[in-house]
Amino acid sequence: MAWPDYAVMPLSAQDIAAALALWPELTGGTARLVNHSENHTFRIDTPARRSFSLRIHRRFYQSEAAIRSELDWLTAIARETDVPVPQPIPGLDGAVLQAFATPDGGQRLAVLFPFLPGSEPDGAGRLDDLFTTLGRYAAMLHHHARTWARPAGFERPTWQAQSILAPDGLWGDWRLSPDVDAQSRVVLESLSDRLTERLAAYGTGADRFGLIHADMRLGNLLVEGDHVTLIDFDDCGFCWFAYDFAAAISFHETRADMPALRAAWCAGYASVPNMTPPSAEVLETMAMLRRMALLAWIGSHGETQLAQTHRPGFAAGTLELAQRYMRGRIWPD
């Protein structure tokens, strides 16, 4: 599937002004783009010296029902768990999901959050303590997802072998990713077949498959001292619980200290009562599934800074990891 042109549709000053008009708190505010991946995220600073995060959704990526469902879960997490997450701010009409018309006659959806303190960890140095926290957060979310009564009409994507590895995958086709040549494609096709086989055998029982964050990577954390806030639930959906570990190590799978980070994540997971971390073998399978998803994403989102930053060496690194996985294990115990 060729990634559609609307993935790179720019936002005009008129679009941003229309979005700001939907929240009284934003009157007179100025917007600065802080992130562009699936969506555009702006920091809004107002004359009242308040700051907000405005997320304007990319067209056709998530449906209106899916975004409402994301916000429903986010609200429930804040109310029913101790995981620090942002809370959406209602607009003028009292709804947390807002829509505005664009000059071409279309519509864009937007959500407003408070601008929270903290910054993305740079990935340098030791990350053991952070991964212990991520494991604990993952276990808390998984427990909540298994016990939460989802509202009627709840809709989120399903992340599984077919939706990630097939040519019409949700993030595009890894086969079309830059730097995937004919030789590496043969190995990666074999990997794709192996992953599909192992995931089918692992199954989707309620003890291992359910609603997850699905993108709990370093770029979706705000760290201030010892406090870690988990943000950006835009890709949350139904997947294997172990995939949240794979998402946490996104773009860092080749680190030399990965066994220590895996152990730290598992220790954090096990610290939550009645929650047992997945086996090392399952975590490695999820890590390779995620790596293939990211390979597809880099190819389909080449206009973004994140894809451009991680593209150099990513396909080669994926090939090396695939070869190690096919021989038995990626990382030693």
Side-chain angles (χ1 to χ4, degrees):
M1 175 179 76
W3 203 252
D5 292 339
Y6 55 67
V8 295
M9 291 179 94
L11 284 165
S12 67
Q14 183 177 348
D15 291 331
I16 298 169
L20 295 183
L22 297 169
W23 284 272
E25 295 92 337
L26 303 186
T27 300
T30 58
R32 175 168 59 88
L33 182 67
V34 294
N35 185 55
H36 171 216
S37 53
E38 297 300 343
N39 310 306
H40 290 79
T41 303
F42 296 88
R43 172 172 173 162
I44 312 297
D45 294 310
T46 70
R49 297 185 178 180
R50 298 179 64 190
S51 297
F52 302 87
S53 291
L54 174 67
R55 185 178 73 186
I56 299 180
H57 286 260
R58 197 186 79 199
R59 282 176 173 169
F60 312 115
Y61 181 58
Q62 300 286 8
S63 69
E64 183 172 343
I67 299 170
R68 292 187 191 280
S69 297
E70 172 206 347
L71 300 178
D72 284 341
W73 192 35
L74 197 58
T75 301
I77 290 168
R79 183 177 61 243
E80 300 166 7
T81 80
D82 293 328
V83 179
V85 294
Q87 286 296 278
I89 299 171
L92 281 165
D93 63 358
V96 292
L97 179 59
Q98 295 289 315
F100 62 92
T102 56
D104 63 0
Q107 177 181 270
R108 297 294 288 265
L109 301 172
V111 182
L112 186 69
F113 299 95
F115 189 85
L116 300 175
S119 58
E120 172 188 345
D122 61 13
R126 293 184 63 87
L127 296 174
D128 304 50
D129 290 346
L130 180 59
F131 269 73
T132 300
T133 298
L134 287 179
R136 180 165 54 86
Y137 284 4
M140 293 166 69
L141 291 181
H142 299 166
H143 180 270
H144 182 266
R146 279 159 41 175
T147 57
W148 180 50
R150 296 191 294 270
F154 190 88
E155 174 188 314
R156 291 303 302 172
T158 298
W159 299 98
Q160 53 190 1
Q162 179 70 16
S163 58
I164 291 176
L165 299 172
D168 60 348
L170 293 175
W171 276 356
D173 185 359
W174 63 263
R175 299 158 189 82
L176 304 179
S177 189
D179 312 314
V180 174
D181 56 25
Q183 183 178 3
S184 61
R185 177 170 174 168
V186 171
V187 177
L188 296 178
E189 286 284 13
S190 295
L191 170 68
S192 178
D193 292 342
R194 179 75 61 84
L195 291 174
T196 300
E197 176 185 325
R198 289 188 175 177
L199 291 168
Y202 185 54
T204 55
D207 64 329
R208 60 194 58 185
F209 194 96
L211 183 61
I212 69 168
H213 183 282
D215 199 21
M216 206 181 290
R217 58 187 177 88
L218 300 188
N220 286 330
L221 306 176
L222 293 175
V223 179
E224 185 179 46
D226 294 331
H227 187 76
V228 181
T229 301
L230 178 61
I231 63 173
D232 196 355
F233 281 67
D234 183 51
D235 286 311
C236 73
F238 298 97
C239 188
W240 291 278
F241 293 128
Y243 191 81
D244 268 339
F245 165 78
I249 61 171
S250 294
F251 305 114
H252 297 284
E253 299 91 344
T254 58
R255 285 178 63 120
D257 63 346
M258 191 52 61
L261 297 184
R262 182 186 60 199
W265 188 92
C266 288
Y269 200 98
S271 71
V272 177
N274 303 314
M275 298 300 288
T276 302
S279 69
E281 290 80 6
V282 168
L283 293 177
E284 290 198 352
T285 294
M286 297 302 163
M288 291 312 307
L289 182 66
R290 173 67 171 187
R291 185 81 182 193
M292 295 295 279
L294 292 174
L295 187 63
W297 191 90
I298 285 174
S300 61
H301 292 69
E303 80 285 354
T304 67
Q305 183 178 356
L306 184 64
Q308 294 164 10
T309 297
H310 290 288
R311 176 186 168 181
F314 194 85
T318 304
L319 177 62
E320 178 186 351
L321 290 167
Q323 291 168 330
R324 284 155 54 182
Y325 179 83
M326 298 289 279
R327 289 195 299 265
R329 294 290 299 276
I330 306 176
W331 311 297
D333 289 327

